């Protein structure tokens, strides 16, 4: 497969993000996958034992102390803060100044019994490690012992309770980070989450420290400022949100492939030539993915002969629609990864020269920029899924599927109509959240913070947007699987129709025709008529549908009959009535049998087959059969199958089934399937080099292929040594290479 950054990145984020191997904190090598593994998998973090790391840290503390001993003025150490930096304190007031700094920042609104007012534990856990990584760079005059105490909290799963709101991310995330520093200080009025995952409880900071035999930290000059004055909270939320966004972006491409098949679309829209003619990196990656994963599909080809000659935009232009957002998210990946390994407080100490530099590295606009792109990408993906879904449930646009994808009688069944409305609600909210935050800046803190990034607010909204997008992906997957099952039922039925019509004509009408050729012609014409009318009559109930279909069949037989007389007309009328009843019976039998043991897998391309299997077999989300699946429908009004088999589709509402898919997406249990699809793309492109052509050769990414749990034996694991096509987005702007984990070198 072309070694584009994005699919490689998604794969790396999943493999490395679920690792529980210890993460070394050295100030330079932290990546988003590390943040995910620490915050979600409970991986431990260890301060690097390399001599140069400890030397840098100790040197910054030494330089600060030397400057203070000389009586020099250093912002935030012997001055006031922000707009109050015009005041000075004496040598004996530096410790008091650090306490005063924390005191005025413990201003957030919290309700200990209402978690909606506090940050997620995984955000805080990530922020603590990011802050430790930043101050470990040796520019902040934070002692080695203080950094180790901070990491000890993380490794013992002691997580401060932090207010959700109150940061404008100007001089960093001052107030939120002050709660972390306050816990280290042992402030008895601050709380922490402690205990095993299954039974977390809130205790005071002194009790939390005592539970792991940690002594409260007495902050030396600049230590409180060094811990608090930074972008770690914003960066933590951004890292976790961006990781999820990458996965959803790729998943949306797999869902699109399913919808192409469900809509009897074509893979022609994703031919490599189209992207070579318009060689935007993102478009080329999406197009290549879709073209690869549709290989082997019996539903997506170029010979359907639809009245609408081309697929609609929601399918045909997906590479052009998603491509720019692939590029945006790759840029976001670089921005956030750089931020993870940056010093973001003020002032900064340069260990090599002893200089103290006053600047504004705490201004988190890079994080804001990354999150604004993330929100826009989420809205674009959501809009695409919404368009695909509305076309899929609409009989005017879905190419022969029933309205609302109902599997029973459309006059009394509206299966996915509610989901269709829900999708409209989701995309409306998602579109609102996509609005930019950075243009809502107001002046703060005595006019000193007249520019502020609002990075944390933007990241929080991006997190909300990602969660809504998960709901849309779950709904889209449920709908796509339902549509594919309906396609499979119709395929099976159409195959049976040919045999049924043949038997019927041969047994009842063959003596009307002067030659066998006329009999064969009659069979072919009637079958073609039924097939065509089946696609046009999906809004009709079964009996009406086949009555109307067979009424039209008379006009086919009349011209083929050499002698039209009363006896012939009666024979044709009886034949029509008999075949109508036979088709009704055959349709009901086919449909009911499929409800019991049907499987659409053999019709599907490589990724759709795997996703369909995941939904139907692993998550055990069944096809929806219609009103019969409503829990209050009595057994005497359900199908005969319910009397023989306890059908699981009656056990939950439609929303509950979709919720199961949503949880699989949110908890990443779907990711083995997604990564399998990436690896299948690699195999396809490695064995079909004519599909693409090497474009840019740079170093192969180093990917940690060790897994906590080995993939299932059924997975075909591909190596990463295929066609070297690891494209560096914005290569002309950035000379650095982007590795698969998002690091630059």
């Amino acid at each position: 497969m072309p070694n584009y950054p994005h699919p490689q990145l998604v794969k790396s984020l999943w493999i490395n993000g679920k690792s529980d191997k210890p993460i070394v904190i050295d100030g330079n090598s932290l990546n988003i996958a590390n943040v995910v593994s620490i915050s979600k998998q409970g991986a431990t973090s260890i301060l690097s034992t390399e001599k140069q790391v400890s030397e840098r840290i100790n040197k910054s503390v030494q330089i600060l102390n030397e400057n203070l001993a000389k009586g020099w003025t250093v912002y935030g150490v012997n001055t006031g803060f922000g707009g109050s930096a015009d005041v000075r304190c004496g040598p004996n007031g530096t410790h008091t100044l650090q306490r005063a700094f924390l005191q005025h920042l413990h201003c957030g609104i919290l309700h200990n019994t209402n978690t909606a007012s506090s940050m997620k534990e995984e955000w805080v856990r990530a922020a603590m490690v990011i802050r430790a990584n930043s101050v470990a760079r040796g520019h902040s005059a934070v002692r080695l012992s203080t950094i180790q105490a901070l990491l000890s909290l993380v490794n013992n799963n002691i997580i401060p309770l932090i207010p959700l709101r109150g940061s404008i991310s100007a001089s960093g995330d001052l107030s939120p980070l002050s709660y972390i520093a306050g816990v280290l200080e042992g402030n008895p009025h601050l709380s922490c989450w402690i205990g095993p995952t299954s039974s977390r409880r809130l205790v005071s900071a002194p009790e939390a420290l005592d539970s792991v035999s940690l002594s409260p930290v007495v902050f030396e000059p600049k230590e409180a400022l060094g811990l608090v004055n930074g972008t770690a909270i914003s960066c933590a939320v951004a890292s976790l949100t961006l990781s999820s966004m990458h996965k959803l972006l790729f998943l949306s491409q797999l869902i699109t492939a399913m919808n192409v098949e469900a809509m009897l679309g074509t893979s022609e829209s994703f031919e490599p030539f189209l992207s070579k003619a318009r060689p935007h990196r993102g478009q080329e990656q999406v197009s290549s993915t879709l073209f690869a994963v549709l290989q082997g599909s019996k539903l997506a080809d170029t010979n359907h002969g639809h009245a609408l000659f081309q697929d609609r935009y929601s399918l045909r232009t997906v590479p052009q629609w998603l491509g720019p957002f692939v590029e945006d998210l790759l840029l976001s990946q670089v921005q956030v990864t750089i931020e993870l390994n940056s010093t973001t407080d003020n002032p900064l100490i340069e260990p090599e020269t002893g200089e103290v530099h006053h600047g504004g590295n705490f201004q988190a606009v890079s994080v804001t920029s990354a999150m604004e792109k993330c929100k826009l990408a989420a809205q674009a993906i959501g809009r695409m899924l919404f368009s695909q879904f509305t076309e899929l449930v609409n009989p005017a646009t879905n190419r022969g599927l029933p309205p609302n994808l109902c599997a029973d009688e459309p006059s009394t069944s509206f299966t996915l109509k509610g989901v269709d409305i829900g999708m409209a609600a989701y995309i409306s909210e998602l579109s609102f959240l996509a609005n930019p935050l950075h243009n809502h800046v107001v002046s703060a803190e005595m006019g000193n913070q007249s520019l502020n990034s609002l990075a944390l607010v933007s990241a929080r909204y991006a997190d909300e947007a990602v969660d809504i997008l998960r709901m849309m992906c779950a709904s889209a997957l449920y709908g796509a699987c339902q549509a594919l099952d309906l396609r499979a039922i119709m395929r099976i039925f159409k195959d049976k129709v040919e045999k049924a019509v043949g038997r019927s004509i041969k047994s009842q009408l063959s003596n009307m025709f002067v030659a066998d050729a006329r009999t064969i012609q009659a069979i072919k014409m009637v079958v073609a008529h039924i097939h065509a009318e089946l696609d046009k009559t999906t809004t009709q109930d079964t009996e009406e549908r086949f009555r109307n279909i067979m009424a039209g069949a008379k006009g086919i037989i009349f011209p083929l009959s050499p002698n039209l007389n009363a006896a012939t007309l009666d024979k044709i009328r009886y034949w029509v009535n008999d075949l109508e009843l036979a088709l009704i019976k055959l349709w009901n039998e086919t449909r009911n049998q499929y409800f019991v043991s049907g499987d659409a897998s053999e019709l599907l391309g490589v990724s759709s087959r795997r996703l369909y299997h995941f939904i139907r077999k692993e998550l055990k989300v069944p096809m929806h059969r219609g009103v019969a699946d409503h829990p209050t429908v009595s057994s005497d009004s359900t199908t005969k199958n319910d009397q023989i088999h306890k059908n699981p589709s009656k056990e939950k509402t439609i929303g509950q089934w979709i919720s199961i898919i949503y949880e699989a997406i949110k908890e990443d249990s779907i990711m083995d399937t997604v990564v399998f699809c990436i690896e299948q793309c690699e195999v396809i492109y490695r064995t079909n080099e004519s599909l693409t052509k090497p474009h840019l050769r740079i170093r192969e990414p180093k990917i940690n292929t060790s897994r906590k749990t080995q993939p299932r034996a059924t997975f075909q694991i591909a190596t990463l040594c295929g066609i070297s096509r690891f494209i560096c987005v914005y290569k002309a702007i950035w000379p650095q290479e982007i590795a698969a984990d998002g690091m630059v070198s």
Side-chain angles (χ1 to χ4, degrees):
M1 180 182 183
N3 283 334
Y4 288 104
H6 197 255
Q8 296 284 342
L9 179 58
V10 171
K11 181 176 177 179
S12 176
L13 283 170
W14 170 235
I15 294 173
N16 294 324
K18 67 178 183 176
S19 169
D20 60 357
K21 294 175 60 177
I23 306 299
V24 176
I25 302 301
D26 60 9
N28 295 299
S29 60
L30 190 64
N31 60 53
I32 290 178
N34 296 153
V35 174
V36 172
S37 69
I38 292 168
S39 62
K40 294 188 174 183
Q41 303 300 323
T44 57
S45 45
I46 303 169
L47 187 62
S48 173
T49 57
E50 291 187 13
K51 186 178 180 182
Q52 60 183 16
V53 173
S54 58
E55 285 181 345
R56 283 200 314 262
I57 294 170
N58 293 333
K59 185 68 173 176
S60 70
V61 175
Q62 177 188 337
I63 291 170
L64 176 64
N65 289 333
E66 289 174 353
N67 285 345
L68 293 177
K70 295 174 184 176
W72 291 1
T73 299
V74 180
Y75 168 78
V77 178
N78 50 19
T79 75
F81 302 99
S84 299
D86 55 349
V87 299
R88 305 287 184 269
C89 74
N92 297 325
T94 54
H95 289 86
T96 301
L97 192 69
Q98 296 300 295
R99 297 189 187 99
F101 180 59
L102 295 182
Q103 181 187 46
H104 89 275
L105 293 175
H106 294 333
C107 58
I109 297 174
L110 272 172
H111 194 297
N112 285 1
T113 60
N114 179 10
T115 55
S117 68
S118 61
M119 292 190 182
K120 301 176 186 178
E121 282 192 66
E122 63 186 42
W123 292 358
V124 181
R125 190 178 293 113
M128 294 164 78
V129 172
I130 294 169
R131 197 72 208 124
N133 191 65
S134 179
V135 296
R137 292 171 58 79
H139 305 141
S140 306
V142 176
R143 291 169 297 165
L144 196 65
S145 60
T146 302
I147 300 172
Q148 289 170 335
L150 177 59
L151 292 177
S152 181
L153 291 182
V154 180
N155 293 336
N156 285 286
N157 208 12
I158 297 174
I159 307 302
L161 184 71
I162 298 180
L164 182 65
R165 294 177 174 85
S167 175
I168 56 175
S169 305
S171 190
D173 297 304
L174 290 172
S175 181
L177 284 169
S178 76
Y179 285 78
I180 296 174
V183 168
L184 281 174
E185 187 188 34
N187 188 324
H189 300 300
L190 301 186
S191 300
C192 300
W193 291 104
I194 68 168
T197 304
S198 59
S199 56
R200 301 287 280 167
R201 69 185 194 279
L202 280 173
V203 300
S204 68
E207 183 179 344
L209 294 176
D210 187 60
S211 70
V212 291
S213 301
L214 274 178
S215 300
V217 175
V218 177
F219 292 124
E220 292 297 315
K222 198 184 175 302
E223 281 198 312
L225 180 64
L227 290 173
V228 168
N229 185 201
T231 65
I233 297 281
S234 301
C235 200
V237 181
S239 296
L240 298 175
T241 302
L242 186 56
S243 174
S244 296
M245 191 65 227
H246 282 305
K247 297 167 188 174
L248 292 177
L249 175 55
F250 195 83
L251 177 61
S252 73
Q253 296 169 50
L254 303 183
I255 295 172
T256 293
M258 295 185 85
N259 284 330
V260 168
E261 295 177 274
M263 290 283 283
L264 301 180
T266 175
S267 60
E268 183 182 19
S269 306
F270 318 119
E271 284 282 351
F273 171 77
L274 292 169
S275 292
K276 289 177 183 176
R278 188 178 187 253
H280 288 287
R281 306 304 196 207
Q283 173 183 331
E284 195 173 10
Q285 182 268 306
V286 176
S287 182
S288 297
T289 295
L290 289 170
F291 194 75
V293 299
L294 285 169
Q295 299 299 304
S297 173
K298 296 178 182 177
L299 297 175
D301 59 41
T302 58
N303 301 310
H304 287 301
H306 303 301
L308 185 66
F309 188 71
Q310 304 176 105
D311 290 340
R312 289 181 170 82
Y313 283 17
S314 70
L315 298 177
R316 178 157 47 103
T317 68
V318 167
Q320 294 81 3
W321 180 261
L322 288 184
F325 298 102
V326 171
E327 297 171 12
D328 277 355
L329 291 188
L330 288 170
L331 174 56
S332 297
Q333 179 79 9
V334 172
Q335 289 175 308
V336 174
T337 303
I338 290 173
E339 193 75 7
L340 288 174
N341 296 283
S342 298
T343 312
T344 58
D345 55 297
N346 175 60
L348 302 186
I349 296 168
E350 188 175 358
E352 292 77 14
T353 64
E355 294 289 328
V356 178
H357 303 280
H358 294 80
N361 279 5
F362 44 69
Q363 187 72 274
V365 182
S366 292
V367 179
T368 310
S369 173
M371 290 297 95
E372 304 286 67
K373 290 190 284 287
C374 192
K375 290 187 296 171
L376 285 171
Q379 192 278 338
I381 296 169
R383 188 64 182 83
M384 178 193 76
L385 294 176
F386 172 74
S387 297
Q388 292 173 0
F389 192 88
T390 57
E391 291 170 16
L392 195 61
V393 299
N394 185 352
T397 56
N398 65 18
R399 292 173 172 166
L401 290 169
N404 305 305
L405 301 184
C406 66
D408 51 347
E409 305 303 320
S411 68
T412 56
S413 183
F414 311 96
T415 304
L416 292 187
K417 182 176 287 293
V419 181
D420 188 20
I421 296 169
M423 289 287 272
Y426 299 147
I427 188 56
S428 297
E429 187 173 358
L430 198 53
S431 297
F432 172 78
L433 290 171
N435 284 298
L437 261 296
H438 67 272
N439 58 339
H440 291 277
V441 168
V442 297
S443 183
E445 199 265 299
M446 300 171 67
N448 180 53
Q449 297 180 7
S450 56
L451 297 179
N452 43 82
S453 70
L454 299 179
L456 180 54
V457 181
S458 185
R460 282 175 33 225
Y461 283 8
D463 176 71
E464 287 186 42
V466 164
D467 199 49
I468 293 171
L469 185 57
R470 290 190 190 104
M471 297 177 189
M472 297 193 76
C473 287
S475 300
L477 277 169
Y478 186 83
C481 288
Q482 179 79 2
L484 292 171
D485 280 322
L486 292 168
R487 292 290 186 204
I489 291 174
M490 187 55 71
R491 280 287 182 109
I492 296 169
F493 179 67
K494 285 183 175 180
D495 288 343
K496 292 179 178 179
V497 163
E498 187 170 355
K499 296 178 182 178
V501 170
R503 287 194 301 268
S504 175
I505 290 179
K506 287 177 182 178
S507 65
Q508 293 182 260
L509 300 181
S510 60
N511 58 0
M512 291 173 42
F513 306 123
V514 295
D516 288 342
R518 279 293 178 95
T519 302
I520 295 172
Q521 183 183 6
I523 293 171
K524 289 183 177 179
M525 292 177 68
V526 170
V527 169
H529 166 76
I530 294 173
H531 284 186
E533 290 302 307
L534 282 169
D535 292 340
K536 299 175 184 177
T537 56
T538 59
T539 61
Q540 300 172 13
D541 288 352
T542 301
E543 292 186 6
E544 177 190 8
R545 184 182 195 183
F546 287 104
R547 185 186 313 120
N548 292 335
I549 290 173
M550 289 309 301
K554 296 176 184 177
I556 297 171
I557 298 299
F558 288 155
L560 299 176
S561 305
N563 300 309
L564 283 177
N565 51 43
T568 301
L569 292 176
D570 284 343
K571 186 176 288 190
I572 292 174
R573 186 172 65 252
Y574 291 140
W575 168 76
V576 167
N577 291 338
D578 288 349
L579 185 54
E580 176 189 326
L581 293 174
L583 290 177
I584 291 173
K585 180 181 179 183
L586 184 62
W587 171 250
N588 288 329
E589 288 176 349
T590 302
R591 183 170 54 181
N592 290 337
Q593 182 57 42
Y594 192 90
F595 289 157
V596 175
S597 58
D599 192 320
S601 298
E602 66 176 19
L603 299 176
L604 308 180
V606 58
S607 70
S608 297
R609 188 182 311 126
R610 188 66 189 86
L611 271 175
Y612 176 89
H613 180 273
F614 177 77
I615 301 297
R616 292 285 185 254
K617 306 301 181 183
E618 296 182 36
L619 296 184
K620 301 188 185 305
V621 175
M623 179 185 182
H624 196 274
R625 303 172 305 156
V627 178
D629 284 343
H630 192 62
T632 64
V633 173
S634 59
S635 59
D636 59 348
S637 61
T638 57
T639 65
K640 180 181 275 188
N641 288 318
D642 279 344
Q643 299 168 24
I644 302 172
H645 304 276
K646 186 178 185 299
N647 200 298
S649 56
K650 290 178 66 69
E651 295 176 0
K652 291 179 173 62
T653 65
I654 293 170
Q656 287 171 327
W657 288 121
I658 295 175
S659 297
I660 290 174
I661 303 173
Y662 163 80
E663 290 296 333
I665 296 171
K666 185 174 183 178
E667 300 302 323
D668 281 342
S669 61
I670 199 172
M671 281 307 299
D672 273 337
T673 295
V674 172
V675 169
F676 170 80
C677 294
I678 293 174
E679 291 168 341
Q680 287 298 299
C681 289
E682 292 168 356
V683 171
I684 290 168
Y685 273 93
R686 194 164 55 249
T687 56
N688 296 275
E689 294 195 18
S690 61
L691 293 178
T692 189
K693 184 173 163 186
H695 182 81
L696 178 63
R697 296 184 180 276
I698 64 178
R699 66 177 171 85
E700 290 291 337
K702 295 180 181 179
I703 291 184
N704 176 13
T705 56
S706 63
R707 301 192 183 196
K708 187 175 180 181
T709 304
Q710 290 299 317
R712 296 175 180 83
T714 55
F715 282 15
Q716 185 174 0
I717 303 301
T719 62
L720 301 176
C721 59
I723 303 167
S724 179
R725 197 176 181 183
F726 186 67
I727 293 178
C728 179
V729 177
Y730 302 118
K731 182 73 174 178
I733 300 175
W734 292 322
Q736 305 102 320
E737 297 172 1
I738 305 175
D741 58 4
M743 295 297 294
V744 293
S745 61

